Amino acid sequence: DVLALLPGHRAYVHSSNRENLPLAIIEAMGSGLAVVSGNVGGISELIEPGVEGIFWPLDDSQEAARVLIDLLEDQERLSQLSTAARRRFERSFDVAVIGPVLERFLESTVREGNIA
């Protein structure tokens, strides 16, 4: 159970080279974890670098290690990113927010007869 394991960590590290819908990042943000990720696919729509997480290079392991170590050694910055990640989740991805949006979308689709 990933959601039970996430709170035991200090940050969420995502090293995917391609990503269309990074649900794992959304789950990590919901657990209040700062995100360290490459800037690929839709990830930049989920996190603002320096606010909810940071981007790291996927093609330079030495620099990526430096980015991660620097973050883990800076407890204040890590805490700020983690708090902002949780707030972003609550504001943009929580079921209490997304549920009504999806419901309205589905209702309007049915009303307008746009069901395929």
Side-chain angles (χ1 to χ4, degrees):
D1 183 9
V2 173
L3 293 178
L5 297 173
L6 286 173
H9 298 277
R10 295 189 293 161
Y12 176 75
V13 176
H14 197 80
S15 60
S16 178
N17 288 319
R18 295 183 190 148
E19 194 65 69
N20 292 321
L21 182 58
L23 294 175
I25 290 177
I26 294 171
E27 290 175 336
M29 292 170 72
S31 293
L33 296 177
V35 176
V36 179
S37 175
N39 186 7
V40 297
I43 295 173
S44 64
E45 295 179 37
L46 300 180
I47 64 169
E48 182 178 340
V51 178
E52 295 97 4
I54 54 177
F55 290 141
W56 65 349
L58 296 172
D59 60 352
D60 183 344
S61 60
Q62 294 292 324
E63 179 62 14
R66 187 196 61 75
V67 167
L68 181 58
I69 291 168
D70 286 352
L71 176 62
L72 294 175
E73 289 180 344
D74 187 344
Q75 186 56 46
E76 183 177 335
R77 183 170 186 223
L78 183 60
S79 179
Q80 290 169 347
L81 295 173
S82 297
T83 299
R86 177 66 190 170
R87 287 185 183 140
R88 174 70 188 271
F89 172 84
E90 291 169 350
R91 187 175 67 246
S92 302
F93 306 112
D94 190 81
V95 69
V97 174
I98 296 300
V101 171
L102 180 58
E103 185 177 16
R104 286 190 301 273
F105 169 76
L106 293 173
E107 287 173 349
S108 70
T109 301
V110 169
R111 261 194 318 273
E112 295 170 11
N114 294 328
I115 299 176

